[in-house]
């Protein structure tokens, strides 16, 4: 039986199930949904309680073209139908809300997600100058 107090080891590009149900505010996710770990494996110690994620959605209306990555179903990612990694919805989430899966996106897809997050952050910084 796994130790419930053991740190959750996550890898960049790994798909997890994030349980955002229960205490969400209006306009926040309020369901169990897949998400991609985008933080570098060595960014935080394994015991750090949070993870940086980008949610996956099957809703094309949420996928802003310049801020989303199309994810076609493959055996590696475990997706049952096409979906999008919605980079503009990047969030930090408690690992207590996460369930690891063996699924993952490709390194190229992860690189695009990270570039989209960085470009969004850079454009936000320019507006605050």
């Amino acid at each position: 039986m796994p130790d419930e107090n053991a740190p959750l080891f996550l890898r960049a590009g790994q798909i997890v199930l994030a349980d955002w149900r229960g205490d969400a505010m209006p306009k926040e996710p309020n369901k169990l949904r897949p998400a991609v770990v985008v933080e570098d494996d060595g960014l935080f110690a394994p015991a750090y309680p949070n993870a940086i994620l980008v949610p996956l959605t099957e809703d094309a209306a949420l996928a802003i073209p310049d801020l989303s990555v199309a994810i076609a179903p493959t055996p590696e990612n475990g997706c049952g139908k096409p979906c999008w990694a919605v980079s503009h919805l990047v969030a930090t989430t408690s690992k207590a809300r996460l369930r690891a899966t063996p699924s993952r996106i490709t390194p190229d897809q992860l690189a695009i997600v990270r570039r989209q997050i960085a470009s969004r952050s850079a454009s936000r910084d320019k507006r605050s100058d």
Side-chain angles (χ1 to χ4, degrees), residues 3-91:
D3 179 2
E4 300 232 350
N5 295 320
L8 180 61
F9 291 99
L10 301 172
R11 299 280 180 239
Q14 182 177 4
I15 296 175
V16 297
L17 294 178
D19 190 351
W20 282 306
R21 298 175 291 192
D23 59 355
M25 299 296 288
K27 303 287 184 185
E28 290 183 332
N30 193 14
K31 58 182 162 181
L32 184 68
R33 86 167 21 212
V36 177
V37 176
V38 295
E39 68 189 58
D40 236 1
D41 302 347
L43 183 60
F44 301 111
Y48 186 72
N50 299 321
I52 303 171
L53 309 174
V54 166
L56 294 175
T57 184
E58 296 173 351
D59 185 351
L62 292 176
I64 298 171
D66 291 340
L67 294 174
S68 300
V69 177
I71 310 291
T74 67
E76 292 78 25
N77 65 33
C79 297
K81 49 178 112 168
C83 62
W84 292 265
V86 283
S87 304
H88 65 286
L89 298 178
V90 63

Side-chain angles (χ1 to χ4, degrees), residues 84-129:
W84 292 265
V86 283
S87 304
H88 65 286
L89 298 178
V90 63
T92 302
T93 302
S94 169
K95 287 181 180 178
R97 292 180 175 266
L98 305 181
R99 189 168 72 221
T101 76
S103 302
R104 60 180 301 105
I105 62 173
T106 68
D108 288 341
Q109 290 167 330
L110 177 63
I112 295 167
V113 167
R114 287 175 165 174
R115 269 196 308 275
Q116 290 173 343
I117 293 168
S119 69
R120 180 174 179 256
S121 296
S123 66
R124 186 180 275 175
D125 289 344
K126 287 179 187 174
R127 287 191 303 235
S128 65
D129 288 344

